[in-house]
Amino acid sequence: RVLVLRPLAAGVLMVDDGSALDVTDLVIRDTLGQTGRPAAFGIQISGIARFKAARLGLERTRGIGLAAGKGAVVGLEDVTARDTEALPSDAGFGSGLSADLGSTWTVTRARVEDTQCIGIQIKGAGTSVDLFDATVRGTRACSGGIGGQGLAIFTAATATVTRALFEKNRATAIVATDLGTRLGLNDVAVIETQ
């Protein structure tokens, strides 16, 4: 079991191609950021890496709870991303989970709650996410008062969502835009979008 508390940058940072990390019972809480560099993601995967986690908690991170791109392979079971705050330097953008740049994700049993801007973001050609048994609740507006999407998929990304609840998200529960974007929804409920 690992607790990472108040890191000045990412709680976990993977940047080297070919790196791999398997972890169980990891909690990253209260990322702080540094003067001039306020981003303090919970987990940032920038290389072609493999990240696998069971029972992962991301609480009060700045910017993004977990971000992966550049062909990373991510496997998550029992993940919670809660109270992600937007970055003031990035026009108020924040996301609980962010898949980008051709990364491939499989997520089973996820809770994304009280994130500022976007609960789960999936973007970029070649990016693929399979999401099972998820709850995305209470996504708040970005700092400019816009946004508040539970799930946003765009720029030719692909996702399949099976058994999910989107509840009390501010602007839109689910948004899919751009040519080539593909989204499959199976047994999904949307309740009380604000």
Side-chain angles (χ1 to χ4, degrees), residues 7-118:
L8 292 176
V12 172
L13 176 63
M14 298 176 71
V15 294
D16 293 327
D17 291 351
S19 59
L21 177 61
D22 291 343
V23 65
T24 302
D25 294 317
L26 170 63
V27 174
I28 299 172
R29 185 178 296 144
D30 298 320
T31 59
L32 299 174
Q34 299 174 353
T35 302
R37 300 184 66 206
F41 298 172
I43 299 171
Q44 184 174 0
I45 305 167
S46 299
I48 301 172
R50 185 180 58 80
F51 178 76
K52 184 177 179 184
R55 296 187 301 276
L56 173 64
L58 304 163
E59 300 176 12
R60 295 181 300 279
T61 58
R62 290 181 59 129
I64 298 175
L66 191 159
K70 194 182 173 189
V73 176
V74 177
L76 304 175
E77 292 183 5
D78 301 305
V79 59
T80 300
R82 178 178 293 126
D83 296 320
T84 303
E85 290 297 322
L87 296 174
S89 64
D90 195 15
F93 176 79
S95 180
L97 304 175
S98 180
D100 195 1
L101 300 171
S103 59
T104 302
W105 294 47
T106 302
V107 181
T108 303
R109 292 179 303 280
R111 294 179 66 86
V112 178
E113 298 178 331
D114 300 318
T115 294
Q116 189 173 6
C117 211
I118 300 173

Side-chain angles (χ1 to χ4, degrees), residues 135-149:
T135 299
V136 181
R137 175 181 290 128
T139 305
R140 302 181 317 269
C142 302
S143 62
I146 61 169
Q149 291 91 9

